[in-house]
Amino acid sequence: MQWKAPIFIIIVLLLNGCSLFSTGSHEYSEEFILQAEKRAESYLRANYENVDQVTFNDEHSSPMGGLVIRGKVNGEAAFSLDIDDSLNVIAISEGTEFPEEKEACKDKTCNY
């Protein structure tokens, strides 16, 4: 009987500690998402060849505190861009048939 209170307190502290250290997702305003989409399109046009059209999905997520923007280039090549809270592109995942990187942008990210 004496162990119930300390065990309960330990469990509560552990659960509370987990929530403190979890990065979790947070909501972004529509304005921020629109700015992120503009930034993503600018990045794609600056760093890849023959980007004629960029479309975005309505599905956004924010694992680990950044925003993930998904869409297609030229109607068929899927992409996923990780964007931080300062609107910098920090990672890209390219689907099949994705345009080639511009030669000048292969060793460094071109300004966008």
Side-chain angles (χ1 to χ4, degrees):
M1 292 289 172
Q2 294 176 345
W3 289 96
K4 286 184 180 180
I7 290 174
F8 176 74
I9 291 171
I10 290 171
I11 290 172
V12 168
L13 288 174
L14 286 173
L15 291 174
N16 190 33
C18 290
S19 69
L20 287 176
F21 294 110
S22 130
T23 54
S25 62
H26 58 278
E27 295 293 318
Y28 290 99
S29 69
E30 278 299 314
E31 181 180 339
F32 183 84
I33 290 172
L34 288 174
Q35 288 176 333
E37 288 176 347
K38 286 169 81 172
R39 189 78 166 161
E41 182 170 357
S42 177
Y43 172 86
L44 293 168
R45 290 184 185 279
N47 287 278
Y48 292 89
E49 299 283 350
N50 304 316
V51 175
D52 298 321
Q53 179 188 31
V54 178
T55 56
F56 298 100
N57 297 345
D58 289 333
E59 177 187 331
H60 304 101
S61 61
S62 55
M64 310 281 288
L67 178 66
V68 177
I69 302 281
R70 294 176 181 84
K72 291 187 177 187
V73 172
N74 301 335
E76 58 188 47
F79 68 86
S80 176
L81 283 169
D82 294 359
I83 297 180
D84 67 15
D85 290 341
S86 298
L87 296 173
N88 295 310
V89 174
I90 54 177
I92 183 169
S93 175
E94 305 163 359
T96 58
E97 304 298 321
F98 204 80
E100 292 289 322
E101 267 185 297
K102 291 180 178 177
E103 192 62 39
C105 306
K106 287 187 177 182
D107 294 328
K108 64 178 180 73
T109 300
C110 290
N111 290 335
Y112 57 101

